[in-house]
Amino acid sequence: MTTSETSTATEPAASPENLQAAVERVPRYRIITASLVGTTIEFYDFYVYATAAVAVFPALFFTGQDDTTKLLASMATFAAAFLGRPLGSVVFGHFGDRIGRKATLVGALLTMGLATFLIGLLPTYHQISFWAPAILTILRFAQGMGLGGEWSGAALLASEYAKPGKRAQAAMWPQLGAPLGFILANGFVLLLTTWMSFDSTTDAAATDSPFLVWGWRIPFLFSIVMILLGLYVRLKLEETPVFRQSVQQGEKAKAPVVDAFRTAWKPMILGTFVMLSCYVLFYLLTAWILSYGIGNPAKGAGLGIPYHTFLKVQLVAVLFFAAFVPVSGWLADKIGRRRQQIATNILLIAFGLSFGIFMAPSTMGTGAQVNIPGLILFISIGMAIMGLSFGSMSAYLPELFPTNVRYTGSGISYNVSSILGAAITPYVAVWLNSHGGVSAVGWYLAGAAVLTLVALFISHETRDIDLTKVGQERK
């Protein structure tokens, strides 16, 4: 820490020319790789747990209870990460705004990666009794902290190295980590369960199944390989020139969290609601829709699609998420972040209102009669809108904050929004579907988009701002 601050202080005086020279000195591929690889690893770790929470952990870590109670207990550990994410944004945000983006990103990567690796080594309930779910919950919380610190740092790494007029296109690279991590995690689990002939709907209680005995550990243990790759890339980076200039000008915050709440509370609130509909959409199209897709139609719980079939549907649809992330970045640089996000949320309202028309069992069919191409098309449209929403957020949110609290402020907004828009969404959607049908779930999504639109109308355009001068009007 001290060495980093000392070396920064001895660099040439900050100026627009020196800042641009520093940006051009670092190869673009190195910035892209460092931001993309890191977030891909983080989201891979996050999603591989989500898959195991449904198919593995109820049988191995929460025994001695009925199936529903075990699943709820397992999903409670899944939700623990969302409590860890805001804390991670505070802890890592403090160091990211105090000692720099590079060292903090390394710490976030290690926190998430080591927690994931240790889950792969964890004894089960049959071996260490209640200590197994207790330690699992702690490690899941640590995963949340790591992801809470990762996103802001990766977004800042990309945006603070960006060339003028290309910031959203540069900052979209860490956003690609979300769909790529999802594809890696779910694809890996799909391959393993297919190879080991495991079906979560029929084999969940068969604890002698090879997948439940040892196969489930492979995706978690594999994360150590990805960690080493991420560390290799990130340790070769230099500190971002925007942060170095802030330090040289004596603008570094002594207590970033306190300063963020004192000077940037308004953009933190706006940023939280700007992200809200994005989170609601994604967790409806991943967590809730999986339960709806494989749910029992006889009980009004879903469409009755086989588990493996629905995983394949999701893997196809998430490709549209990945494809529209760069489109979002390009549009945000072309027409502005605010205008692009307003148009996207109008599309999102229309998509939400279509749930009752296209996703109802009477339209989509059930069991063997489900219209799989229609289902793929519907979810793919949602994932394309998700790409448009998520892609420019890594530029928009950081641009709302001055450099000395940018890591902390953007991280808190992003991760508090995850509680409001992600942690409760699957549960709310299940309740709404059971009481009002799938159309009620769509109304919930449309309502979240309306709240985001209000925040966008209150907010301001950030496309043409100078990152080194954000917040100076508040001094």
Side-chain angles (χ1 to χ4, degrees):
M1 298 181 188
T2 306
T3 303
S4 174
E5 293 178 7
T6 303
S7 63
T8 302
T10 59
E11 292 177 358
S15 69
E17 294 77 15
N18 288 337
L19 190 64
Q20 185 59 30
V23 167
E24 295 177 352
R25 186 172 65 245
V26 179
R28 292 300 308 158
Y29 76 87
R30 188 176 294 175
I31 304 301
I32 291 171
T33 305
S35 57
L36 177 60
V37 168
T39 52
T40 299
I41 294 170
E42 298 277 13
F43 280 104
Y44 166 87
D45 290 349
F46 201 76
Y47 294 143
V48 80
Y49 188 101
T51 303
V54 174
V56 175
F57 295 153
L60 299 183
F61 289 89
F62 302 96
T63 60
Q65 306 170 64
D66 63 85
D67 290 345
T68 300
T69 303
K70 289 191 291 186
L71 179 59
L72 287 173
S74 180
M75 293 306 291
T77 67
F78 173 75
F82 291 102
L83 300 178
R85 285 174 65 164
L87 180 59
S89 66
V90 169
V91 172
F92 289 104
H94 172 84
F95 291 108
D97 286 327
R98 285 289 299 164
I99 68 173
R101 308 348 186 177
K102 173 184 172 180
T104 307
L105 275 171
V106 170
L109 180 65
L110 285 172
T111 300
M112 169 67 98
L114 291 177
T116 305
F117 180 75
L118 290 174
I119 290 173
L121 298 175
L122 187 62
T124 66
Y125 186 93
H126 299 285
Q127 296 167 312
I128 60 172
S129 187
F130 69 90
W131 288 107
I135 297 172
L136 181 65
T137 304
I138 293 171
L139 292 175
R140 178 58 175 170
F141 186 84
Q143 278 191 317
M145 284 194 64
L147 187 59
E150 165 66 29
W151 180 84
S152 294
L156 267 56
L157 178 69
S159 61
E160 291 183 348
Y161 263 114
K163 295 180 179 179
K166 303 287 186 179
R167 201 156 52 222
Q169 293 172 73
M172 70 87 189
W173 288 104
Q175 304 302 80
L176 276 176
L180 292 180
F182 184 90
I183 291 168
L184 285 174
N186 281 29
F188 201 166
V189 172
L190 178 61
L191 287 174
L192 280 173
T193 54
T194 302
W195 173 47
M196 296 182 174
S197 301
F198 176 82
D199 186 345
S200 67
T201 60
T202 59
D203 300 334
T207 53
D208 59 344
S209 163
F211 182 73
L212 288 179
V213 172
W214 59 271
W216 70 272
R217 299 181 183 273
I218 296 175
F220 290 91
L221 298 176
F222 180 72
S223 67
I224 197 68
V225 177
M226 302 175 72
I227 294 169
L228 294 175
L229 173 62
L231 287 176
Y232 171 77
V233 172
R234 286 188 169 175
L235 288 173
K236 294 176 71 68
L237 286 175
E238 299 178 16
E239 188 51 75
T240 70
V242 172
F243 179 79
R244 292 202 304 269
Q245 177 172 320
S246 176
V247 173
Q248 289 174 16
Q249 294 175 346
E251 297 173 348
K252 186 164 60 173
K254 294 182 179 180
V257 177
V258 175
D259 287 355
F261 278 100
R262 181 172 56 85
T263 65
W265 59 270
K266 183 177 179 180
M268 278 200 293
I269 294 174
L270 289 176
T272 297
F273 284 95
V274 164
M275 270 296 302
L276 180 67
S277 64
C278 182
Y279 268 122
V280 172
L281 174 62
F282 185 67
Y283 280 87
L284 283 180
L285 293 182
T286 54
W288 170 75
I289 209 164
L290 175 60
S291 66
Y292 178 73
I294 67 176
N296 188 345
K299 297 180 179 180
L303 302 177
I305 302 171
Y307 177 71
H308 282 172
T309 300
F310 201 85
L311 273 182
K312 294 172 185 176
V313 169
Q314 282 189 305
L315 285 171
V316 172
V318 81
L319 296 175
F320 288 83
F321 178 10
F324 277 83
V325 165
V327 175
S328 177
W330 179 79
L331 284 173
D333 279 335
K334 187 77 172 177
I335 65 175
R337 289 79 161 112
R338 185 169 171 268
R339 188 181 301 175
Q340 184 263 327
Q341 286 292 332
I342 287 172
T344 299
N345 277 274
I346 291 172
L347 287 175
L348 193 47
I349 291 173
F351 180 69
L353 297 180
S354 72
F355 269 48
I357 301 173
F358 298 107
M359 281 296 286
S362 58
T363 304
M364 190 61 68
T366 59
Q369 304 303 315
V370 169
N371 179 5
I372 296 296
L375 181 66
I376 293 174
L377 177 62
F378 185 83
I379 301 178
S380 296
I381 291 172
M383 284 292 187
I385 298 173
M386 178 64 200
L388 290 173
S389 176
F390 192 59
S392 60
M393 286 297 180
S394 52
Y396 197 11
L397 290 186
E399 288 168 351
L400 296 173
F401 299 91
T403 304
N404 62 341
V405 296
R406 185 170 294 137
Y407 204 127
T408 302
S410 61
I412 290 175
S413 293
Y414 181 82
N415 290 297
V416 170
S417 188
S418 77
I419 295 178
L420 300 178
I424 65 172
T425 287
Y427 298 95
V428 172
V430 169
W431 186 88
L432 288 173
N433 183 50
S434 65
H435 288 78
V438 70
S439 60
V441 179
W443 277 97
Y444 175 65
L445 175 60
V450 169
L451 290 176
T452 292
L453 277 175
V454 171
L456 288 167
F457 282 123
I458 296 173
S459 187
H460 59 278
E461 181 54 60
T462 61
R463 178 182 59 176
D464 299 321
I465 66 166
D466 183 341
L467 284 181
T468 65
K469 296 179 181 179
V470 178
Q472 290 186 6
E473 70 279 1
R474 293 192 291 269
K475 292 184 178 179

